[in-house]
Amino acid sequence: MHRTSWPLTVLLGLATLTVLVPLYVTLSMAFKTSGQSADGNAFSLPAPFNPASFAEAWTLTRFPVSFGISLAVAAIAVVLTLFLSSLAAYAIARNWSHRFFRWSMIYLLAALFLPFPVVALPQIQLTALTGLDNPFGVGILHAMFQLSFSVLLYTAYLRSIPIELEESARIDGASTWQIFWRIILPLLGPMNATVGIFAFLASWNDFMMPSLIMSDPTLQTLPVVQNIFQSQFGTNYNVAFASYLMAMAPSIIAYLFAQRWVISGVTQGAVKS
Amino acid sequence: MSGTTMYQPGGTTTARGTTTSRRTTQRRVEPLYYVFLVPTLLVFTAFVIVPALIGIFYSLTDYVGFGDWSFLGLSNYAALFSDPRILESYGFTLGFALVTVVVAQVVALALAVALTRRIRFATTLRTVFVIPMVVSGIVVAYVFNFLFSNSLPAIATAVGFGPLEESILGNPDLAWLSIVIVSAWQTIPGALLVYTAGLTSIPSDLYEASALDGATPWRQFRSITVPLIAGFILINTILGVKGYLGVYDVIVGLTGGGPGTATSSVAMTIFGGFTGGDYAYQMANATVFLVVTALISVAQIVATRGRAVQL
């Protein structure tokens, strides 16, 4: 029972190939020449080793611009999500006895069951009408769709924070506003990380919302600009894969460095809810 | 802890307990709490609820997305239920969601159980398995598109396996499989982490005691593991099914809904309405889709209610 199970370890090792092979193909294709990438053999090593595809992908996707826009959209989404949902959840959790707050929670939760296609078409019109058919609007919409889940996580977590802490601060003369910023928000630390990670991943990787909402194609996010390789540059696989790699690498590298927090963040979200 | 509490706020005894004691001591709500909550409710209403209501309203008209419109009543809905293209998209989407949720949950649970056993390199292995969670679905779909249309046929030709020598993306009977594979590939990591959290919360002495009683590993899995992580299974299947019903990115990246309309999901047909001129018609479709999604989610909660065992 306490010995290492080598057969299981080997089996799991083989199973990682389902993740590693697509990544390997992306990497090796990106370093091939056009001629070599067109021969259809995805698993061969690049020979010669040709890094020129990256330069071409860099200009075709206007990488710095698309990357910056993706980052800005995700930043708006994360900040708005953290700010709005922590305050809302705090108000709800501390006034649960009050009907208005209880119903507000249910109202916000309704969006969990609301599929995006239901609101998509009117949203395209409304954002166009209000001038929000741009990265800023996409960031706001990402935050809106993240609200239900985030408020849920926060309220569950707030229930586990003893109310005595706040009551003693109140006796010492702290206002509710001060209590929120000085006591509650720091105590929410792990949940802030969880909510932030979820909001970031959802926004950074999203294709549907920006592709539908954004009216100016030059302001598109990184995942959406990848579609230029599907039509115009269909045969230049090496350039396409260099671009895919540039789109994937930042989040994979960030994940490898921060995986401890990403994993504990997600599991915490699951346990606390 | 139980996943079911997630969907019934206030249903837990602790919440009720504090509620009643607080109600007697502090009746009036401090106005600041409204300041914390109401602005969020307003933006949420403006950006989510209002568009939903507008859409539902337009489903009763002949609106094409711009210009004049007149009231039609329920005729869009009547047309919907006799439209083979719509019915086909529901058939595809429901079938796909069902297959994918089963595949993804079985694989995720198996991986989670294996990763919590006595194995070497557990952290490294888990790190690798979680990678698909952090990359963009559309980009992953483009990579798999290449693998399915070039590499798989090349391998099949080399080993002489006839059925796969043509790209499965161009085969109306097999294209859906590619979408199942990529969707599962993408969503297994999240489910895996949730299951890992569930499994590590089970005290190991339960297994030790049952082992003394002569329980086989399979019996332990059925009688200890599954009941104790039922709440996590519920969370995963509800989030999974909801996600799969709205499938879009993966299809765009793999088949574009084709060949023909073999892999057109409901989401894709709805989005087609904005450019295709049948805005009102697709809003009726979207409204039906909302009802279907809500019914399936509620049915899942009801079906599993009471199954979750609390520690």
mmCIF file of all heavy atoms in Angstrom, chain B residues 110-125:
data_model
loop_
_atom_site.group_PDB
_atom_site.id
_atom_site.type_symbol
_atom_site.label_atom_id
_atom_site.label_comp_id
_atom_site.label_asym_id
_atom_site.label_seq_id
_atom_site.Cartn_x
_atom_site.Cartn_y
_atom_site.Cartn_z
ATOM 1 N N ALA B 110 -10.847 9.693 -13.197
ATOM 2 C CA ALA B 110 -9.824 8.642 -13.230
ATOM 3 C C ALA B 110 -8.439 9.248 -12.994
ATOM 4 O O ALA B 110 -7.651 8.725 -12.200
ATOM 5 C CB ALA B 110 -9.869 7.911 -14.574
ATOM 6 N N LEU B 111 -8.158 10.359 -13.673
ATOM 7 C CA LEU B 111 -6.854 11.008 -13.495
ATOM 8 C C LEU B 111 -6.684 11.506 -12.064
ATOM 9 O O LEU B 111 -5.621 11.353 -11.462
ATOM 10 C CB LEU B 111 -6.706 12.199 -14.453
ATOM 11 C CG LEU B 111 -6.438 11.898 -15.924
ATOM 12 C CD1 LEU B 111 -6.390 13.196 -16.729
ATOM 13 C CD2 LEU B 111 -5.121 11.146 -16.098
ATOM 14 N N ALA B 112 -7.754 12.084 -11.509
ATOM 15 C CA ALA B 112 -7.667 12.623 -10.148
ATOM 16 C C ALA B 112 -7.398 11.501 -9.147
ATOM 17 O O ALA B 112 -6.559 11.642 -8.255
ATOM 18 C CB ALA B 112 -8.952 13.365 -9.794
ATOM 19 N N VAL B 113 -8.102 10.364 -9.309
ATOM 20 C CA VAL B 113 -7.879 9.228 -8.411
ATOM 21 C C VAL B 113 -6.444 8.730 -8.558
ATOM 22 O O VAL B 113 -5.731 8.523 -7.572
ATOM 23 C CB VAL B 113 -8.888 8.085 -8.705
ATOM 24 C CG1 VAL B 113 -8.491 6.819 -7.965
ATOM 25 C CG2 VAL B 113 -10.298 8.515 -8.304
ATOM 26 N N ALA B 114 -5.994 8.579 -9.817
ATOM 27 C CA ALA B 114 -4.636 8.073 -10.054
ATOM 28 C C ALA B 114 -3.595 9.019 -9.464
ATOM 29 O O ALA B 114 -2.605 8.575 -8.879
ATOM 30 C CB ALA B 114 -4.401 7.889 -11.553
ATOM 31 N N LEU B 115 -3.821 10.322 -9.609
ATOM 32 C CA LEU B 115 -2.829 11.295 -9.137
ATOM 33 C C LEU B 115 -2.754 11.374 -7.621
ATOM 34 O O LEU B 115 -1.776 11.880 -7.068
ATOM 35 C CB LEU B 115 -3.135 12.694 -9.705
ATOM 36 C CG LEU B 115 -2.759 12.925 -11.165
ATOM 37 C CD1 LEU B 115 -3.344 14.234 -11.676
ATOM 38 C CD2 LEU B 115 -1.249 12.925 -11.340
ATOM 39 N N THR B 116 -3.814 10.913 -6.923
ATOM 40 C CA THR B 116 -3.767 10.950 -5.462
ATOM 41 C C THR B 116 -3.304 9.603 -4.879
ATOM 42 O O THR B 116 -3.299 9.425 -3.683
ATOM 43 C CB THR B 116 -5.144 11.335 -4.864
ATOM 44 O OG1 THR B 116 -6.158 10.599 -5.547
ATOM 45 C CG2 THR B 116 -5.412 12.810 -5.020
ATOM 46 N N ARG B 117 -2.959 8.660 -5.784
ATOM 47 C CA ARG B 117 -2.394 7.390 -5.324
ATOM 48 C C ARG B 117 -0.893 7.533 -5.088
ATOM 49 O O ARG B 117 -0.321 8.580 -5.343
ATOM 50 C CB ARG B 117 -2.644 6.290 -6.371
ATOM 51 C CG ARG B 117 -4.065 5.837 -6.436
ATOM 52 C CD ARG B 117 -4.450 5.119 -5.155
ATOM 53 N NE ARG B 117 -5.902 5.068 -5.011
ATOM 54 C CZ ARG B 117 -6.665 4.150 -5.571
ATOM 55 N NH1 ARG B 117 -6.129 3.217 -6.310
ATOM 56 N NH2 ARG B 117 -7.964 4.177 -5.394
ATOM 57 N N ARG B 118 -0.294 6.409 -4.645
ATOM 58 C CA ARG B 118 1.150 6.455 -4.383
ATOM 59 C C ARG B 118 1.923 6.355 -5.691
ATOM 60 O O ARG B 118 2.297 5.273 -6.115
ATOM 61 C CB ARG B 118 1.555 5.327 -3.447
ATOM 62 C CG ARG B 118 0.726 5.245 -2.216
ATOM 63 C CD ARG B 118 1.581 5.181 -0.968
ATOM 64 N NE ARG B 118 0.759 5.543 0.180
ATOM 65 C CZ ARG B 118 1.028 6.583 0.952
ATOM 66 N NH1 ARG B 118 2.075 7.332 0.726
ATOM 67 N NH2 ARG B 118 0.249 6.870 1.972
ATOM 68 N N ILE B 119 2.133 7.483 -6.306
ATOM 69 C CA ILE B 119 2.888 7.505 -7.555
ATOM 70 C C ILE B 119 4.053 8.471 -7.405
ATOM 71 O O ILE B 119 4.070 9.295 -6.495
ATOM 72 C CB ILE B 119 2.020 7.963 -8.749
ATOM 73 C CG1 ILE B 119 1.330 9.277 -8.397
ATOM 74 C CG2 ILE B 119 1.026 6.897 -9.136
ATOM 75 C CD1 ILE B 119 0.931 10.055 -9.604
ATOM 76 N N ARG B 120 5.018 8.363 -8.309
ATOM 77 C CA ARG B 120 6.126 9.298 -8.318
ATOM 78 C C ARG B 120 5.784 10.479 -9.218
ATOM 79 O O ARG B 120 4.930 10.388 -10.080
ATOM 80 C CB ARG B 120 7.396 8.593 -8.839
ATOM 81 C CG ARG B 120 7.919 7.536 -7.895
ATOM 82 C CD ARG B 120 8.434 8.132 -6.596
ATOM 83 N NE ARG B 120 9.616 8.962 -6.811
ATOM 84 C CZ ARG B 120 10.863 8.486 -6.859
ATOM 85 N NH1 ARG B 120 11.062 7.201 -6.715
ATOM 86 N NH2 ARG B 120 11.879 9.284 -7.054
ATOM 87 N N PHE B 121 6.476 11.580 -9.027
ATOM 88 C CA PHE B 121 6.340 12.783 -9.864
ATOM 89 C C PHE B 121 4.902 13.312 -9.906
ATOM 90 O O PHE B 121 4.474 13.874 -10.907
ATOM 91 C CB PHE B 121 6.804 12.526 -11.307
ATOM 92 C CG PHE B 121 8.055 11.715 -11.411
ATOM 93 C CD1 PHE B 121 8.054 10.462 -12.011
ATOM 94 C CD2 PHE B 121 9.250 12.193 -10.889
ATOM 95 C CE1 PHE B 121 9.214 9.705 -12.096
ATOM 96 C CE2 PHE B 121 10.417 11.446 -10.981
ATOM 97 C CZ PHE B 121 10.400 10.203 -11.581
ATOM 98 N N ALA B 122 4.130 13.111 -8.843
ATOM 99 C CA ALA B 122 2.714 13.510 -8.871
ATOM 100 C C ALA B 122 2.552 14.992 -9.220
ATOM 101 O O ALA B 122 1.706 15.354 -10.037
ATOM 102 C CB ALA B 122 2.059 13.204 -7.534
ATOM 103 N N THR B 123 3.393 15.846 -8.620
ATOM 104 C CA THR B 123 3.255 17.290 -8.860
ATOM 105 C C THR B 123 3.547 17.638 -10.316
ATOM 106 O O THR B 123 2.797 18.390 -10.949
ATOM 107 C CB THR B 123 4.206 18.069 -7.940
ATOM 108 O OG1 THR B 123 4.119 17.515 -6.628
ATOM 109 C CG2 THR B 123 3.831 19.526 -7.897
ATOM 110 N N THR B 124 4.627 17.051 -10.840
ATOM 111 C CA THR B 124 4.983 17.320 -12.232
ATOM 112 C C THR B 124 3.876 16.852 -13.172
ATOM 113 O O THR B 124 3.457 17.570 -14.078
ATOM 114 C CB THR B 124 6.291 16.592 -12.596
ATOM 115 O OG1 THR B 124 7.234 16.822 -11.555
ATOM 116 C CG2 THR B 124 6.835 17.074 -13.910
ATOM 117 N N LEU B 125 3.386 15.634 -12.929
ATOM 118 C CA LEU B 125 2.339 15.086 -13.791
ATOM 119 C C LEU B 125 1.099 15.976 -13.752
ATOM 120 O O LEU B 125 0.526 16.320 -14.787
ATOM 121 C CB LEU B 125 1.977 13.662 -13.341
ATOM 122 C CG LEU B 125 3.033 12.588 -13.619
ATOM 123 C CD1 LEU B 125 2.719 11.311 -12.858
ATOM 124 C CD2 LEU B 125 3.110 12.295 -15.117
#
